[in-house]
Amino acid sequence: MAPGVELGFAADPGGAWRLRSAYFPSKVGGRPAWLGEAGLPGPAALRCGRCQQPCAFLLQLYAPLPGRPDAFHRTLFVFACRSPACYRLAGPCGPFRVFRNQLPRRNDTYPEEPPPEEPPPGPAPAPPRQLGSGAALCRVCGCLGPRCCGRCRRAAYCGPEHQALDWRRGHRRSCGQRAAGDDSADAIPEHNEFLFPEYEILIEPEEPEFPADSTDDEQGAVDTSKDTKEQEKLGAAGIADDALQSLDEETLEAMAKHETEEEKVFRMFKKQVAAEPEQIIRYCRGGEGPLWVSGENKPEEKDIPNCVCGAKRIFEFQIMPQLLNHLHVDSLGESIDWGTLVVYTCADNCGGGNEYLEEFIWKQDYSMGCTL
Ligand SMILES: [Zn+2]
Ligand SMILES: [Zn+2]
Ligand SMILES: [Zn+2]
Ligand SMILES: [Zn+2]
């Protein structure tokens, strides 16, 4: 049986502890809850392919592979640029970065038994300054921070952008104020304006469509009637007769068909989403493929590069436009925007536990005139 689609929904986590690394979360926003502590992507790998500014953590999915002891734990991380201008073009990567990391059940970082379901005792800890391995994390974005404040030599940053941002936000005052053994004066604030709002992602299987084959027939019938209507409309409304005559029948047919094809893909998208309109993720590794929002700008096989190991990449999950509603990125004029984001990962799921491997993401936009 083909694997079914699993849907992801954004939810209030009910406690920040649930989103920490030890609980293997799937989540949106905030800082990444890194899985493995070795081989994290460095600041250069997390810069936007368009504007070269640091990308913000967008989401992570905990997606272990059953039957693969080397991927007993496995998480996919997606980063996205904060600049709306970088979203103008559709296609590969651009303002996005995707990484994959995995660990066997027995590893140096996590116990072999699953984490408890209850919150740990005591107040929720502030975001970590460093990994268990000792590598420093940027105070602003939670990614590797190889650079440090020249005055206190303690605050770590991924680069000059976040150092400047943190200085403005208050490090100017707290720098060097730490009394011996007291971290509270410059504890890392949970939120800042660079981070996307934080949610837990809850995963549920998608209800299979019912009844499958009669729906297909109905779809066909709708299409035909729509085609005819579309042509009647062309004939009756607006276009002058002599204009019509100057276009040959074949051209007209192609025009009408192109339009219907676009509308059809978008209608299928809306129909599939309508059953669970809040879905932000559709997950189906190696399954039937993504739900496109448009017939245009789909990648062909040659557009999806092979993994560094030489294996093909296969569809793993897609991020839906509904996620945008949770990110508070609407602004006057240009906004961060997409129709859907499709993530392809190594079919062999190569790599050991000591590296974060970059994977591939494709952005598809809505066709003209088709928006939710
Ligand atoms: Zn950018
Ligand atoms: Zn940073
Ligand atoms: Zn400082
Ligand atoms: Zn590979």
Side-chain angles (χ1 to χ4, degrees), residues 47-55 80-87 94-96:
R47 287 190 178 264
C48 170
R50 303 243 155 91
C51 72
Q52 295 302 314
Q53 290 292 301
C55 287
C81 181
R82 299 240 39 164
S83 165
C86 296
Y87 291 77
F96 299 100

Short mmCIF file of all heavy atoms in Angstrom, two decimals, residues 47-55 80-87 94-96, ligand 1:
data_model
loop_
_atom_site.label_atom_id
_atom_site.label_comp_id
_atom_site.label_asym_id
_atom_site.label_seq_id
_atom_site.Cartn_x
_atom_site.Cartn_y
_atom_site.Cartn_z
N ARG A 47 23.05 31.78 4.82
CA ARG A 47 22.74 33.08 4.21
C ARG A 47 21.82 32.88 3.02
O ARG A 47 21.87 31.87 2.33
CB ARG A 47 24.02 33.79 3.80
CG ARG A 47 24.75 34.31 5.05
CD ARG A 47 25.90 35.23 4.75
NE ARG A 47 26.48 35.69 6.00
CZ ARG A 47 26.16 36.86 6.59
NH1 ARG A 47 25.32 37.70 6.02
NH2 ARG A 47 26.70 37.19 7.74
N CYS A 48 20.95 33.88 2.81
CA CYS A 48 20.00 33.86 1.70
C CYS A 48 20.75 33.83 0.37
O CYS A 48 21.73 34.57 0.19
CB CYS A 48 19.12 35.09 1.79
SG CYS A 48 18.08 35.37 0.34
N GLY A 49 20.28 33.00 -0.54
CA GLY A 49 20.91 32.91 -1.86
C GLY A 49 20.69 34.15 -2.70
O GLY A 49 21.34 34.33 -3.73
N ARG A 50 19.77 35.01 -2.29
CA ARG A 50 19.50 36.21 -3.08
C ARG A 50 20.17 37.44 -2.47
O ARG A 50 20.91 38.14 -3.14
CB ARG A 50 17.98 36.44 -3.17
CG ARG A 50 17.23 35.25 -3.76
CD ARG A 50 16.53 35.55 -5.07
NE ARG A 50 16.35 34.35 -5.87
CZ ARG A 50 15.28 33.55 -5.83
NH1 ARG A 50 14.26 33.84 -5.04
NH2 ARG A 50 15.21 32.48 -6.60
N CYS A 51 19.93 37.74 -1.20
CA CYS A 51 20.44 39.00 -0.61
C CYS A 51 21.64 38.80 0.31
O CYS A 51 22.22 39.77 0.79
CB CYS A 51 19.32 39.71 0.15
SG CYS A 51 18.88 38.89 1.70
N GLN A 52 21.98 37.53 0.59
CA GLN A 52 23.16 37.22 1.42
C GLN A 52 23.01 37.60 2.90
O GLN A 52 23.99 37.56 3.65
CB GLN A 52 24.43 37.87 0.85
CG GLN A 52 24.83 37.32 -0.52
CD GLN A 52 25.05 35.80 -0.49
OE1 GLN A 52 25.71 35.27 0.40
NE2 GLN A 52 24.47 35.09 -1.45
N GLN A 53 21.80 37.97 3.32
CA GLN A 53 21.57 38.21 4.75
C GLN A 53 21.31 36.86 5.44
O GLN A 53 20.96 35.89 4.78
CB GLN A 53 20.34 39.11 4.94
CG GLN A 53 20.55 40.55 4.49
CD GLN A 53 21.53 41.28 5.36
OE1 GLN A 53 21.35 41.41 6.55
NE2 GLN A 53 22.63 41.75 4.76
N PRO A 54 21.48 36.80 6.78
CA PRO A 54 21.20 35.52 7.47
C PRO A 54 19.72 35.15 7.35
O PRO A 54 18.85 36.01 7.47
CB PRO A 54 21.54 35.81 8.93
CG PRO A 54 22.27 37.10 8.95
CD PRO A 54 21.94 37.85 7.70
N CYS A 55 19.46 33.87 7.07
CA CYS A 55 18.08 33.38 7.03
C CYS A 55 17.61 33.11 8.46
O CYS A 55 18.41 32.79 9.34
CB CYS A 55 18.00 32.07 6.25
SG CYS A 55 18.18 32.27 4.47
N ALA A 80 14.50 30.49 6.19
CA ALA A 80 13.95 31.38 5.17
C ALA A 80 14.40 32.82 5.41
O ALA A 80 14.49 33.28 6.54
CB ALA A 80 12.41 31.32 5.21
N CYS A 81 14.64 33.52 4.32
CA CYS A 81 15.04 34.93 4.39
C CYS A 81 13.88 35.79 4.90
O CYS A 81 12.72 35.48 4.66
CB CYS A 81 15.47 35.41 3.01
SG CYS A 81 16.02 37.12 3.02
N ARG A 82 14.20 36.86 5.61
CA ARG A 82 13.15 37.74 6.14
C ARG A 82 12.82 38.88 5.19
O ARG A 82 11.95 39.70 5.50
CB ARG A 82 13.60 38.33 7.49
CG ARG A 82 13.85 37.27 8.53
CD ARG A 82 12.99 37.41 9.75
NE ARG A 82 11.62 37.79 9.50
CZ ARG A 82 10.64 37.68 10.39
NH1 ARG A 82 10.86 37.19 11.55
NH2 ARG A 82 9.43 38.07 10.10
N SER A 83 13.50 38.97 4.07
CA SER A 83 13.28 40.11 3.18
C SER A 83 12.26 39.79 2.08
O SER A 83 12.49 38.91 1.25
CB SER A 83 14.62 40.51 2.54
OG SER A 83 14.37 41.36 1.45
N PRO A 84 11.12 40.50 2.06
CA PRO A 84 10.08 40.20 1.07
C PRO A 84 10.60 40.25 -0.38
O PRO A 84 10.16 39.47 -1.22
CB PRO A 84 9.04 41.30 1.30
CG PRO A 84 9.23 41.70 2.72
CD PRO A 84 10.70 41.55 2.99
N ALA A 85 11.53 41.12 -0.66
CA ALA A 85 12.01 41.27 -2.04
C ALA A 85 12.64 39.98 -2.56
O ALA A 85 12.67 39.76 -3.77
CB ALA A 85 13.03 42.40 -2.11
N CYS A 86 13.13 39.11 -1.67
CA CYS A 86 13.78 37.88 -2.10
C CYS A 86 12.78 36.82 -2.56
O CYS A 86 13.17 35.75 -3.01
CB CYS A 86 14.66 37.33 -0.99
SG CYS A 86 16.03 38.44 -0.61
N TYR A 87 11.47 37.10 -2.42
CA TYR A 87 10.44 36.12 -2.76
C TYR A 87 9.80 36.38 -4.12
O TYR A 87 8.81 35.76 -4.46
CB TYR A 87 9.37 36.07 -1.67
CG TYR A 87 9.91 35.48 -0.39
CD1 TYR A 87 10.72 36.24 0.46
CD2 TYR A 87 9.67 34.16 -0.04
CE1 TYR A 87 11.25 35.70 1.61
CE2 TYR A 87 10.20 33.61 1.11
CZ TYR A 87 10.99 34.39 1.94
OH TYR A 87 11.52 33.84 3.08
N GLY A 94 16.80 29.84 -3.66
CA GLY A 94 16.62 31.28 -3.47
C GLY A 94 16.67 31.68 -2.02
O GLY A 94 17.72 31.57 -1.38
N PRO A 95 15.55 32.18 -1.45
CA PRO A 95 15.58 32.65 -0.06
C PRO A 95 15.46 31.53 0.97
O PRO A 95 15.22 31.81 2.15
CB PRO A 95 14.35 33.57 0.01
CG PRO A 95 13.41 33.01 -1.02
CD PRO A 95 14.26 32.42 -2.11
N PHE A 96 15.60 30.26 0.57
CA PHE A 96 15.42 29.14 1.50
C PHE A 96 16.67 28.27 1.60
O PHE A 96 17.46 28.19 0.66
CB PHE A 96 14.28 28.23 1.04
CG PHE A 96 12.96 28.92 0.97
CD1 PHE A 96 12.48 29.37 -0.24
CD2 PHE A 96 12.22 29.14 2.11
CE1 PHE A 96 11.26 30.04 -0.32
CE2 PHE A 96 11.01 29.80 2.05
CZ PHE A 96 10.53 30.24 0.83
ZN ZN B 1 17.18 37.40 1.09
#
